[in-house]
Amino acid sequence: MVEHFHQGYLVNFLVLGLLFLTAVSVEARVRHHKWEVKYEYKSPDCFKKLSISINGKTPGPTIVAQQGDTIVVEVKNSLLTENLAIHWHGIRQIGTPWADGTEGITQCPVVPGDTFVYKFVVDRPGTYLYHAHYGMQRQAGLQGMIKVLVPDGVVEPFSYDYDRNILLTDWYHKSTYEQATGLASLPFVWVDEPQSLLIHGRGRFNCSTPGTDVTLCNATNPQCSPYSMIVIPGKTYRLRIGSLTALSALSFEIEGHNMTVVEADGYYVEPFVVQKLFLYSGETYSVLIKADQDPSRNYWASTKVVSRSSATPNGLGIINYYPNHPRRAPPTIPPAGPHWNDVAPRVAQSVAIKSHKDFIHTPPKTSDRVIIMLNTQNRINGFVRWSVNNVSFNMPHTPYLIALKHNLLHTFEQTPPPENYNHENYDIFSVQKNVNATTSNSIYRLKFNTTVDIILQNANTMNPKNSETHPWHLHGHDFWVMGYGNGKFNQSIDPKNYNLVNPIMKNTIPVHPYGWTALRFRADNPGVWAFHCHIESHFFMGMGVVFEEGIDKVGKLPTSIMGCGDSKRFHSP
């Protein structure tokens, strides 16, 4: 009897298992996208300039999928004179490191006229981004959002009636060519502050600004009519807000409305309420707002530059209470926003973000390796650069993934980069007497499946009394945020205060002025991964590093990623 029961139980278990596998395989879909990337004249802030569009749009189309789906994006490069690569920001690329879209690191660039196919699985629900990862193209408009929904039947730890995306960007009138040339010139020419802030691709530049070419600026152009989001009174909205600014840290607020933060970079947050949400380039948040204000009028949505003394006007949009006219301006003066150099509320928000109590991913209690990264501004042969531990990063001509997999070790330097800096003697609060640094394209080799701590240490720039905010983004992983601190990190004291209970996991994190940020991750994703400041000009000027882990576990590389540097021999067109 018992034997029969066990056999029957086993059969039922196997049947249920097969049904489950069938259900999962049915649910996981392949979602195809066909994109043409090209330059077009656009006027997102009323000023006409060359922008990079996807199928005629910037920002590009939002990719919507369900957890477990496979995304296939067929990208045709119609830029005529420029290469391209597209990075899927926040997607870990488990098993597909060659699809990360980082030129020089995981692939050769896609040359003009060619079509490249990106194929990858979105394995976690949440809010993510995509953007150019070649030169400084991202700030020309090649960017968009990725929304990964939970599987059918899965309930999230909050409820809402409608789901909306808002991408925040800053916008320059100069071309990326001019900007990159200035950054790499003697004398150095800084990119300066952006001309506008855009709310989902729409902003408003004042065409009567002195020196503006009036033939290029048209305040009545419908392309720069303000962003407007219709809300129904009484309903709750999930706003998925992402930042892909080239330079600026931002605050975002909706006049008269509280925002409840519920998700950060794809992880559920123990909910907390803010009036102003601070975002750094590369971050995403989901906030809930309730349309519970006076429905007879509309309200301002406003974004402002923080952490830099900027003359860039605030970006404005309209929260349109139905059935008011969507273009009807609110009767109030738009919110001024926080003071640019008020650091305390920004740090307070960073510290407030904890994992939702029902979705805690407990971090390893200890790490196998600690790498301390001092972020500084330096000179190399007179050129202004950014450095990590006095080493400024240069990209090689042969992508690391190909070089390591095919043993082309002569294509980059083999001396490993430094894991610390002269901690005792370095004063992070002052300009250094010797600001010179060196360049290298060497990488950190991480032992597979080990736990790594990274301490990002901020310092003074080459300008007195100035320390900048740096958003750092890790490819191929999410990390636990172990802690933040002011001043110089103390390796014997500060780790004792790490949050080992409910730290949030993220893929992008700010390092605040004169402060440090500690993060922990598992080197468990075979491949080669960038870790860099997400400010376009800073990464261009050398503020980044590269990690390799488990390269022997990476499968056969597709020939489509090859064709540049020493990988020409493996490329079959």
Side-chain angles (χ1 to χ4, degrees), residues 500-564:
L500 294 164
V501 179
N502 59 350
I504 191 66
M505 295 192 82
K506 291 185 100 273
N507 62 62
T508 305
I509 200 74
V511 192
H512 295 290
Y514 298 114
W516 56 264
T517 300
L519 51 101
R520 177 170 291 175
F521 71 97
R522 294 283 296 170
D524 57 3
N525 189 8
V528 188
W529 309 106
F531 180 47
H532 62 94
C533 178
H534 215 256
I535 292 171
E536 280 280 65
S537 46
H538 290 187
F539 183 45
F540 179 83
M541 293 160 68
M543 198 171 196
V545 299
V546 170
F547 297 124
E548 174 273 320
E549 62 206 54
I551 197 74
D552 55 314
K553 294 172 177 60
V554 173
K556 188 174 187 296
L557 302 182
T559 57
S560 59
I561 66 168
M562 303 178 192
C564 58

Side-chain angles (χ1 to χ4, degrees), residues 376-379 390 425-437 460-463:
T376 55
Q377 196 181 44
N378 300 85
R379 284 192 195 280
N390 226 39
N425 301 321
Y426 196 99
D427 177 8
I428 65 163
F429 296 100
S430 62
V431 179
Q432 297 306 292
K433 291 182 178 67
N434 178 4
V435 295
N436 292 327
N460 206 94
T461 65
M462 292 193 294
N463 301 315

Side-chain angles (χ1 to χ4, degrees), residues 86-98:
I86 299 177
H87 169 54
W88 315 95
H89 182 114
I91 308 300
R92 291 176 294 180
Q93 302 294 351
I94 295 166
T96 51
W98 47 79

Side-chain angles (χ1 to χ4, degrees), residues 164 228-232 237 318-322 326:
R164 299 281 184 268
S228 178
M229 186 179 92
I230 299 171
V231 298
I232 297 165
Y237 289 79
I318 294 172
I319 302 301
N320 167 218
Y321 268 66
Y322 183 82

Side-chain angles (χ1 to χ4, degrees), residues 291-306:
D292 58 2
Q293 298 301 298
D294 174 3
S296 67
R297 52 160 290 196
N298 291 339
Y299 295 83
W300 294 109
S302 175
T303 184
K304 179 184 193 291
V305 175
V306 293

Side-chain angles (χ1 to χ4, degrees), residues 289-468:
I289 65 156
K290 187 159 190 196
D292 58 2
Q293 298 301 298
D294 174 3
S296 67
R297 52 160 290 196
N298 291 339
Y299 295 83
W300 294 109
S302 175
T303 184
K304 179 184 193 291
V305 175
V306 293
S307 98
R308 300 185 66 85
S309 179
S310 175
T312 308
N314 292 3
L316 296 174
I318 294 172
I319 302 301
N320 167 218
Y321 268 66
Y322 183 82
N324 299 320
H325 193 282
R327 298 277 174 260
R328 184 174 158 202
T332 46
I333 295 167
H339 200 265
W340 72 270
N341 64 358
D342 188 0
V343 180
R346 303 205 303 271
V347 174
Q349 178 186 298
S350 292
V351 171
I353 302 169
K354 304 284 192 278
S355 280
H356 189 285
K357 64 182 188 312
D358 299 329
F359 296 88
I360 293 171
H361 300 260
T362 308
K365 290 282 181 276
T366 57
S367 65
D368 302 300
R369 186 172 176 183
V370 179
I371 302 173
I372 299 178
M373 296 186 173
L374 176 72
N375 300 175
T376 55
Q377 196 181 44
N378 300 85
R379 284 192 195 280
I380 298 175
N381 300 325
F383 293 91
V384 178
R385 301 276 296 191
W386 284 93
S387 304
V388 172
N389 294 343
N390 226 39
V391 177
S392 189
F393 177 68
N394 273 349
M395 200 82 78
H397 296 297
T398 306
Y400 292 109
L401 185 64
I402 305 166
L404 287 156
K405 195 68 188 159
H406 288 282
N407 214 28
L408 307 173
L409 300 185
H410 61 278
T411 59
F412 66 95
E413 294 167 50
Q414 295 302 304
T415 307
E419 309 218 348
N420 209 326
Y421 68 104
N422 186 346
H423 183 270
E424 297 301 315
N425 301 321
Y426 196 99
D427 177 8
I428 65 163
F429 296 100
S430 62
V431 179
Q432 297 306 292
K433 291 182 178 67
N434 178 4
V435 295
N436 292 327
T438 57
T439 58
S440 174
N441 59 17
S442 64
I443 63 173
Y444 293 95
R445 311 285 290 262
L446 306 178
K447 193 176 173 189
F448 190 66
N449 252 340
T450 56
T451 300
V452 182
D453 278 4
I454 306 290
I455 288 64
L456 293 161
Q457 175 69 65
N458 220 333
N460 206 94
T461 65
M462 292 193 294
N463 301 315
K465 297 187 171 61
N466 174 248
S467 181
E468 300 195 7

